[in-house]
């Protein structure tokens, strides 16, 4: 929100940032189902329009009753927020798990390694072919290129169907 807001109001963003923050704090968060104002204060913040057209409720409660009411209200809100956070975490885990791959590589297999520093517009982010020289665990491999050796997680590898490079043949004959 801030990035979009600042880009549209390049010269005077600092004059209106409080309005943006008020909007953010009054918007329900998708994970909890409640706004930050509600989570902190137990109620939404009154804006001038609400104050102008508010129905007057005459509270006859004393301070102790009011505090116990607010305390039980917070407990209910936090309980609901915890349930919402738990279901949100389960949904995120399920979504993450659907994208996982379970690649198992053999010793001497050819692979490509993903290089996140490469600009994808100009060339492929997959470097290789590289050779698996050690299996350190079911998901961690030591790979060797023509000039260097490194340890990588299987998520950064993909199988290579090319012929064995000359430099790799020499070390496996």
């Amino acid at each position: 929100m801030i990035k979009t807001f600042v880009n549209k109001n390049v010269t005077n963003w600092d004059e209106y940032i409080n309005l943006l923050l008020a909007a953010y704090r009054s918007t329900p968060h998708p994970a909890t189902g409640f706004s930050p104002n509600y989570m902190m204060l137990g109620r939404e913040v009154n804006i001038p329009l609400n104050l102008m057209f508010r129905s007057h409720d005459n509270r006859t409660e004393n301070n102790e009753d009011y505090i116990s009411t607010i305390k039980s209200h917070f407990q209910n809100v936090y309980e609901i927020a915890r349930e919402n956070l738990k279901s949100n975490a389960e949904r995120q885990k399920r979504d993450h798990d659907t994208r996982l791959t379970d690649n198992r590589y053999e010793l001497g297999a050819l692979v490509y390694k993903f290089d996140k520093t490469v600009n994808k517009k100009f060339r492929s982010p997959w470097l290789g072919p590289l050779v698996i020289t050690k299996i350190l665990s079911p998901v961690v491999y030591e790979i060797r290129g023509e000039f260097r050796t490194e340890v990588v997680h299987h998520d950064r590898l993909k199988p290579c169907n090319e012929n064995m490079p000359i430099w790799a043949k020499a070390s496996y004959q």
Side-chain angles (χ1 to χ4, degrees):
M1 285 174 63
I2 291 174
K3 187 169 124 180
T4 304
F5 181 77
V6 169
N7 287 342
K8 290 181 182 173
N9 302 295
V10 176
T11 58
N12 63 348
W13 66 269
D14 56 334
E15 295 174 25
Y16 300 103
I17 195 75
N18 288 335
L19 293 173
L20 175 73
L21 292 173
Y24 176 79
R25 292 176 186 140
S26 63
T27 304
H29 194 276
T32 61
F34 297 101
S35 69
N37 283 337
Y38 200 79
M39 293 293 293
M40 288 296 298
L41 306 172
R43 63 176 175 82
E44 294 299 337
V45 173
N46 291 323
I47 59 174
L49 190 63
N50 290 353
L51 295 172
M52 287 173 51
F53 297 107
R54 168 174 116 173
S55 63
H56 297 286
D57 57 342
N58 298 327
R59 289 198 178 137
T60 57
E61 301 175 348
N62 60 23
N63 287 342
E64 290 82 20
D65 291 340
Y66 178 71
I67 290 171
S68 66
T69 303
I70 290 294
K71 189 175 178 181
S72 68
H73 180 72
F74 269 128
Q75 288 172 341
N76 291 337
V77 167
Y78 291 156
E79 179 77 23
I80 293 168
R82 271 189 223 96
E83 291 170 10
N84 289 344
L85 284 169
K86 183 179 177 186
S87 65
N88 193 43
E90 289 169 355
R91 180 189 56 77
Q92 287 180 348
K93 182 184 179 340
R94 185 184 65 241
D95 291 349
H96 177 266
D97 290 348
T98 60
R99 292 187 301 270
L100 289 180
T101 58
D102 187 25
N103 294 327
R104 304 281 174 161
Y105 300 103
E106 301 292 324
L107 202 58
L110 287 178
V111 293
Y112 291 113
K113 181 190 83 154
F114 183 76
D115 183 10
K116 57 186 168 208
T117 62
V118 173
N119 186 340
K120 295 174 191 167
K121 287 183 181 177
F122 301 114
R123 68 175 226 235
S124 172
W126 294 99
L127 303 176
L130 306 161
V131 179
I132 295 193
T133 55
K134 279 187 193 171
I135 301 173
L136 302 174
S137 79
V139 294
V140 178
Y141 297 92
E142 182 181 271
I143 58 172
R144 187 170 76 84
E146 189 170 3
F147 301 108
R148 72 182 249 199
T149 301
E150 62 184 302
V151 175
V152 295
H153 192 271
H154 77 98
D155 283 348
R156 294 183 55 207
L157 299 175
K158 78 175 185 179
C160 172
N161 295 325
E162 292 182 19
N163 294 330
M164 183 79 72
I166 295 171
W167 59 265
K169 283 182 184 178
S171 61
Y172 282 100
Q173 288 180 348

